[in-house]
Amino acid sequence: AATHCLIIDVDLRSHENNLVHHTWEIDRERLIVRRGQPFSITLQFSDSLPLRHHLELVLHLGKRDEMVIKVQKERGAGDKWWFNQLETQGEILLTLHSPADAIIGSYRLAVLLMSPDGHILEEMDKFKFHLLFNPWCKDDAVGLPDDSLLQEYVMNEHGAIFMGAWDNIKSIPWNYGQFEDNVMDICFEILDNSKDALRNSKMDIENRSDPVYVGRIITAMVNSNGDRGVLTGRWQEPYSGGVAPYRWTGSVPILRQWSNAGVRAVRYGQCWVFAGVACTVLRCLGIPTRLITNFSSAHDVDGNLSVDFLFDENFKSIDGRGRNDSSWNFHCWVESWMMRDDLPKGNDGWQVLDPTPQELSDGEFCCGPCPVTAIKEGNLGVKYDAPFVFAEVNADVIYWMVQQDGQWKKIRVDQSGVGRNISTKSVYGDQREDVTLHYKYPEGSTKEREVYEKAGRRATEPSNLITEPVQVQLSIKHPNPVFGTDFDVIIEVRRNEGGRDTDAQLTMLATAVTYNSLPRGDCHRKKISVNVPAHQTHKEVLRLHYDDYVKCVSGHHLIRVKAFLEVQGENEPIMAVANIPLSTPELLVQVPGKAFLQEQVTAHISFTNPLPVPLKGGVFTAEGAGLLQATEIPVDGDISPGQNVSVKLSFLPMRTGVRKLLVDFDSDRLKDVKGVATVVVRKRYTPLIMGFH
């Protein structure tokens, strides 16, 4: 006969469990734990358990209970869930142990009270908890045995993203916000909306124990190509019907917008936005992740491990039937830490994951996880997408002239121009850490050339190139100009050898380009005859005016200058290329005084218009993990040249700790102006009066 209700209360002990499982920042009320690490819950009984009655625990996973797991009563094999119990004064302390390769996700726990003959006398199944990857557990595939790395690559909600050019690197702050309200739920919503989950939810749930599988799903789902993904990419204006990529300062508004719109893609992203969102999702799920910037990054469309640029005989670029190789000024992806059984020994755990939609991989727009070590060693047979990633950091750049008879003539080969200053944020602050040597041996070293051969690269045959020493050298020198000013670019022609003076034709071309090489129009073109005297340098000045370049320059303010020199009596023209990023001013963001939890703080934001023209439609956007949700402050009226604008912003900090307030300024002519301030949020302790609170 059924007894009266014995189980009267259950305490999931969320506070204590979340604290030791490093999930305290995500939520204090819900139970969120990490796999491979025990957690305890308490059951209260109205009476002590009748003799020989016992408890059984059953776990349910999936929206339709696709998986049911019976928790064993005592420690079994290491790959099973098990529990033990401790009974004291009408309470039972249950400690659950999950395997280090358990499935991540949302679990429902049923507690069954069983009679000696195996009948269910009572059942309570209202308990829900979330299980995440556990980088603190050495047996978990994402286990990372270094506390400072865990602090940075899992727990840090603030980042710095490097961009610009390899010889002029700047950084912008980024708010990952992986522990902000609802972000974890949105991360699981992303997994639930993948093609695999919609096709076969039981199989998808089983695969969620594997970080390689989860990482691959996330890179496919961060872009919206071919699925219900988060972000739509767009690489040139207009950005109508959405937000221009350079206006975002963090991932949280993007993730919330996607979820609130009923999993409709958010417009628009470019590589650093895709990478920023992927970093948020992976860190939130417990996979250690860092954002990487590769300068002079090759996009090899045809898979021949070289990037081919074509010109006609007037040095105008030729479109290769819409399938152009390109060299991006910079390109961002993420590296996640996961040990893989399918790799030979000697591979560490860093894997490249690239969520920017570029080329298909097994029919999906995703890339990776690809082991960084495999790229360095030229082992291109490993999964996933190793040849593509290898080309991004190692391709040769070849410039060809297509002659009128259709023949291709090689003008210049650059074997060391791709994959420079590969960068990530340091564990010890916002400064840059160079990780180029993780991806390749020193440029030009014997070992690096051996890796080329091993990777199946055909070394560029020197027979196509001029083998005798180059008698004339061409170089481009430029300042670090500020957007809004006129500036000079100097093209130098130097003759090394003796002998007679030489006549030559010099063509100089300044083109505005996007950071991923889409030409935006010519700002200046000049062709002149020059005389190159022996042992001397001839200088030509190309003056670039704001009024000319502002018409075509993109949001990235990048100008590419090319110079071609056709020397009399020489077969091939000589060529030089320089990328010139135009710098923009910074915002001044100050937060005076001390900041306390849930007490008003005021930030002062100011900006001076550096341009010779007024700015219209100015708007500041501020956000910060633990400080405030994304907030817009429009500027009244136009901002005239040299005018200073300052605004105040008040908010109530939501979480304690070292926080970053990120501000972006946008207007019709000046975009992507960023500023940041550090805010330390404390708890205010009220003194106890007479020993009572």
Side-chain angles (χ1 to χ4, degrees):
T3 58
H4 64 288
C5 198
L6 274 172
I7 308 173
I8 53 173
D9 192 27
V10 177
D11 181 3
L12 294 179
R13 302 168 61 115
S14 303
H15 279 224
E16 299 93 317
N17 285 319
N18 291 7
L19 198 57
V20 292
H21 282 256
H22 304 94
T23 59
W24 172 251
E25 289 274 4
I26 301 178
D27 206 313
R28 315 263 156 121
E29 304 312 316
R30 295 190 289 170
L31 178 59
I32 303 166
V33 289
R34 297 186 185 276
R35 63 187 194 175
Q37 182 177 342
F39 62 97
S40 299
I41 64 174
T42 315
L43 303 183
Q44 253 185 337
F45 289 84
S46 59
D47 223 334
S48 57
L49 273 188
L51 214 57
R52 298 206 309 283
H53 285 49
H54 65 280
L55 294 174
E56 280 190 4
L57 305 185
V58 181
L59 297 168
H60 299 263
L61 261 166
K63 292 203 169 43
R64 290 176 294 282
D65 285 356
E66 280 89 345
M67 289 204 70
V68 179
I69 301 164
K70 192 176 173 216
V71 184
Q72 297 182 350
K73 181 70 180 74
E74 66 290 312
R75 182 166 202 158
D79 59 349
K80 298 276 190 290
W81 281 83
W82 63 282
F83 78 100
N84 55 341
Q85 66 187 64
L86 196 67
E87 198 170 343
T88 56
Q89 299 161 332
E91 279 196 346
I92 291 186
L93 184 72
L94 293 179
T95 303
L96 282 85
H97 303 259
S98 59
D101 62 351
I103 293 161
I104 63 154
S106 174
Y107 283 77
R108 286 182 305 288
L109 168 65
V111 179
L112 313 178
L113 180 60
M114 309 295 289
S115 68
D117 57 357
H119 285 85
I120 300 174
L121 300 176
E122 216 174 287
E123 178 174 357
M124 282 192 89
D125 59 357
K126 297 191 175 67
F127 325 121
K128 273 188 165 174
F129 66 91
H130 283 86
L131 191 73
L132 304 178
F133 290 109
N134 192 353
W136 283 266
C137 168
K138 66 171 176 26
D139 298 322
D140 192 321
V142 302
L144 186 56
D146 181 322
D147 219 48
S148 56
L149 299 188
L150 290 164
Q151 207 42 51
E152 177 65 35
Y153 299 141
V154 182
M155 300 303 286
N156 194 351
E157 293 184 87
H158 167 75
I161 299 178
F162 296 96
M163 35 175 68
W166 70 271
D167 53 353
N168 187 350
I169 297 173
K170 60 177 186 156
S171 78
I172 60 161
W174 190 263
N175 179 35
Y176 295 121
Q178 65 268 30
F179 304 135
E180 293 281 84
D181 288 351
N182 305 102
V183 169
M184 181 191 71
D185 303 283
I186 297 169
C187 294
F188 282 114
E189 193 178 1
I190 290 171
L191 292 177
D192 291 342
N193 278 282
S194 76
K195 278 185 174 169
D196 289 47
L198 299 172
R199 204 180 290 129
N200 182 340
S201 54
K202 186 174 187 324
M203 210 160 100
D204 168 66
I205 287 169
E206 285 174 9
N207 284 332
R208 287 189 197 178
S209 59
D210 178 8
V212 172
Y213 174 83
V214 171
R216 197 156 167 78
I217 293 287
I218 295 301
T219 64
M221 282 296 292
V222 165
N223 69 71
S224 65
N225 293 35
D227 55 27
R228 297 179 173 184
V230 176
L231 266 168
T232 299
R234 187 166 172 83
W235 276 267
Q236 49 194 348
E237 288 98 343
Y239 297 116
S240 45
V243 173
Y246 40 72
R247 278 198 61 186
W248 302 111
T249 48
S251 312
V252 180
I254 296 169
L255 291 166
R256 285 189 179 144
Q257 189 184 322
W258 173 79
S259 177
N260 294 340
V263 308
R264 291 238 320 278
V266 175
R267 304 174 183 172
Y268 293 99
Q270 286 175 12
C271 72
W272 72 95
V273 188
F274 289 114
V277 171
C279 188
T280 296
V281 175
L282 292 159
R283 281 186 186 181
C284 184
L285 296 174
I287 301 176
T289 301
R290 59 188 184 183
L291 196 142
I292 300 285
T293 304
N294 177 36
F295 289 96
S296 304
S297 185
H299 181 165
D300 174 22
V301 173
D302 51 16
N304 66 351
L305 297 181
S306 73
V307 173
D308 302 299
F309 288 119
L310 314 183
F311 299 99
D312 67 13
E313 291 182 309
N314 295 318
F315 304 111
K316 276 210 159 71
S317 289
I318 297 175
D319 181 19
R321 303 165 298 285
R323 293 287 289 156
N324 277 5
D325 284 354
S326 56
S327 170
W328 295 26
N329 222 39
F330 68 91
H331 178 48
C332 298
W333 56 71
V334 295
E335 279 178 12
S336 286
W337 179 270
M338 49 185 84
M339 298 311 271
R340 287 170 51 176
D341 301 336
D342 61 333
L343 297 178
K345 287 280 168 275
N347 278 276
D348 73 6
W350 289 117
Q351 313 283 330
V352 169
L353 291 159
D354 188 348
T356 298
Q358 297 182 93
E359 301 295 321
L360 286 166
S361 167
D362 292 346
E364 299 296 333
F365 275 103
C366 64
C367 175
C370 169
V372 175
T373 322
I375 300 306
K376 180 168 183 168
E377 299 300 338
N379 299 328
L380 303 195
V382 305
K383 289 179 167 176
Y384 289 85
D385 311 304
F388 183 75
V389 180
F390 185 87
E392 287 185 305
V393 299
N394 258 324
D396 285 353
V397 179
I398 307 179
Y399 296 90
W400 302 87
M401 182 175 279
V402 180
Q403 295 168 311
Q404 278 172 343
D405 59 4
Q407 290 281 315
W408 286 25
K409 195 161 85 172
K410 202 176 281 188
I411 311 176
R412 178 175 175 221
V413 175
D414 186 353
Q415 291 186 332
S416 60
V418 163
R420 305 176 83 151
N421 290 346
I422 305 174
S423 305
T424 191
K425 174 190 171 307
S426 164
V427 173
Y428 306 107
D430 288 342
Q431 62 271 34
R432 189 178 76 86
E433 182 188 332
D434 195 293
V435 293
T436 311
L437 293 178
H438 295 196
Y439 282 84
K440 49 189 186 180
Y441 287 96
E443 206 62 78
S445 65
T446 341
K447 188 72 184 154
E448 183 231 14
R449 287 288 124 184
E450 281 169 18
V451 168
Y452 273 14
E453 305 301 325
K454 180 176 173 183
R457 303 228 355 193
R458 47 171 214 311
T460 314
E461 309 82 47
S463 57
N464 305 22
L465 296 168
I466 312 159
T467 43
E468 63 265 20
V470 179
Q471 309 210 336
V472 181
Q473 276 178 328
L474 188 61
S475 59
I476 299 171
K477 296 193 163 54
H478 60 87
N480 290 334
V482 174
F483 180 66
T485 57
D486 301 346
F487 63 95
D488 291 338
V489 178
I490 294 163
I491 285 106
E492 291 188 353
V493 183
R494 180 174 171 77
R495 188 175 173 80
N496 297 329
E497 299 294 303
R500 54 193 172 75
D501 299 357
T502 313
D503 287 326
Q505 285 279 324
L506 178 64
T507 305
M508 295 168 281
L509 187 60
T511 310
V513 287
T514 59
Y515 80 98
N516 63 339
S517 284
L518 287 173
R520 299 284 312 250
D522 292 346
C523 325
H524 205 36
R525 191 184 177 94
K526 188 173 169 186
K527 186 170 184 176
I528 51 165
S529 298
V530 293
N531 182 272
V532 190
H535 288 305
Q536 282 181 29
T537 303
H538 176 86
K539 291 184 182 176
E540 278 297 327
V541 175
L542 194 64
R543 185 150 182 83
L544 295 178
H545 295 277
Y546 170 75
D547 290 347
D548 295 331
Y549 67 69
V550 70
K551 296 189 187 93
C552 49
V553 77
S554 78
H556 289 279
H557 302 145
L558 186 68
I559 292 174
R560 182 169 291 162
V561 175
K562 296 194 198 88
F564 300 90
L565 189 72
E566 297 168 281
V567 183
Q568 269 188 7
E570 296 284 0
N571 203 357
E572 270 88 10
I574 301 162
M575 172 184 179
V577 187
N579 289 321
I580 307 174
L582 309 173
S583 60
T584 49
E586 280 186 10
L587 295 182
L588 186 62
V589 184
Q590 292 172 308
V591 184
K594 287 187 171 171
F596 292 100
L597 193 63
Q598 294 298 344
E599 292 185 27
Q600 186 170 297
V601 173
T602 302
H604 301 262
I605 303 160
S606 68
F607 163 75
T608 304
N609 176 9
L611 299 190
V613 290
L615 300 176
K616 300 177 191 304
V619 60
F620 293 98
T621 308
E623 73 165 297
L627 295 176
L628 79 165
Q629 295 200 15
T631 308
E632 286 198 351
I633 310 163
V635 177
D636 291 338
D638 294 358
I639 308 170
S640 39
Q643 184 189 338
N644 181 276
V645 180
S646 48
V647 295
K648 283 182 183 169
L649 168 71
S650 295
F651 55 91
L652 300 172
M654 300 172 283
R655 288 188 279 138
T656 55
V658 179
R659 303 280 161 200
K660 298 269 186 176
L661 176 66
L662 275 50
V663 185
D664 167 84
F665 172 79
D666 219 54
S667 66
D668 62 337
R669 284 173 174 267
L670 195 58
K671 304 172 193 324
D672 189 26
V673 182
K674 303 268 194 272
V676 62
T678 301
V679 183
V680 180
V681 182
R682 303 171 174 83
K683 247 196 181 109
R684 195 186 283 283
Y685 291 101
T686 40
L688 300 177
I689 302 164
M690 294 186 58
F692 298 104
H693 188 35

